[in-house]
């Protein structure tokens, strides 16, 4: 059974970064006016918390959605089998994800001034994760941090897809017991 066109329309990297970037533009345009002087450090810390929250979101989406929910599971399995082929992200998936990342913090905080930096941090985490994931599938040499990420990602792809879900960090693999064994 073929997917509806709304799921077939997908963008390859770097075009796949357009939707999260658009989310950042919307956040910048709607940044609360009361978030001016004196709160810079708070907003930086909340933004960093947003990046950390993104790494948890990425882990959850990767582990339970991409490895358990159709049609995402089928697409992701194709990615595992053909790791050298450019990753394509469905536009509908990106739009819904950005709407959730921008909307949920605002709704849950009652429109608090910290919702925008939290969402911005999550969107930055999403951009970093997509960029790093793309780079992990590249054959060019990497620095030590990226090489460590590549080894864990390679374990996930080629040895045991039930381990090593994190792209930017292995923190959540440690917390949830899915870290590949050492060596």
């Amino acid at each position: 059974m073929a997917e509806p066109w709304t799921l077939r329309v997908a963008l390859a990297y770097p075009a796949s970064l357009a939707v999260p970037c658009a989310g950042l533009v919307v956040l910048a345009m709607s940044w609360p006016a009361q978030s001016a002087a004196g709160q810079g450090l708070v907003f930086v810390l909340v933004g960093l918390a947003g990046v950390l929250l993104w790494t948890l979101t990425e882990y959850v989406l990767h582990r339970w959605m991409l490895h358990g929910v159709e049609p995402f599971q089928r697409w992701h399995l194709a990615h595992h089998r053909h790791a050298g082929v450019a990753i394509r992200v469905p536009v509908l998936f990106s739009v819904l994800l950005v709407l959730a990342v921008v909307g949920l913090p605002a709704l849950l905080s009652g429109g608090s001034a910290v919702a925008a930096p939290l969402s911005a941090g999550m969107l930055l985490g999403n951009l970093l994760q997509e960029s790093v994931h793309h780079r992990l599938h590249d054959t060019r040499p990497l620095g030590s941090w990226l090489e460590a990420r590549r080894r864990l990602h390679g374990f996930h792809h080629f040895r045991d897809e039930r381990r090593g879900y994190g792209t930017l960090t292995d923190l959540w693999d440690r917390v949830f017991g899915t870290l590949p064994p050492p060596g």
Side-chain angles (χ1 to χ4, degrees), residues 21 67 77 88 92 100-101 105 134 157:
C21 283
H67 284 274
L77 180 59
R88 299 179 62 83
L92 179 62
V101 165
H134 174 76
H157 264 266

Side-chain angles (χ1 to χ4, degrees), residues 62-63 67 73 76-77 80 155-165:
H62 188 182
R63 182 174 181 183
H67 284 274
Q73 184 176 4
H76 193 65
L77 180 59
H80 274 249
F155 187 94
H156 173 76
H157 264 266
F158 305 113
R159 303 260 326 264
D160 186 351
E161 68 180 35
R162 296 166 300 163
R163 296 186 172 279
Y165 295 101

Side-chain angles (χ1 to χ4, degrees), residues 21-35 102 116-117 120 123:
C21 283
L24 282 172
V25 169
V26 168
L27 279 174
M29 291 172 44
S30 62
W31 202 271
Q34 72 269 25
S35 66
V102 171
L123 289 173

Side-chain angles (χ1 to χ4, degrees), residues 95-160:
V95 167
L96 293 175
L97 185 64
V98 167
L99 288 174
V101 165
V102 171
L104 284 176
L107 285 173
L108 294 174
S109 72
S112 163
V114 298
L118 183 70
S119 294
M122 290 185 73
L123 289 173
L124 285 172
N126 177 226
L127 292 168
L128 281 169
Q129 183 263 319
E130 274 201 54
S131 299
V132 166
H133 188 213
H134 174 76
R135 186 70 173 95
L136 296 179
H137 288 274
D138 197 329
T139 57
R140 292 177 290 169
L142 302 171
S144 60
W145 179 79
L146 279 171
E147 191 54 50
R149 308 273 23 101
R150 181 184 276 171
R151 279 192 303 277
L152 286 173
H153 195 64
F155 187 94
H156 173 76
H157 264 266
F158 305 113
R159 303 260 326 264
D160 186 351

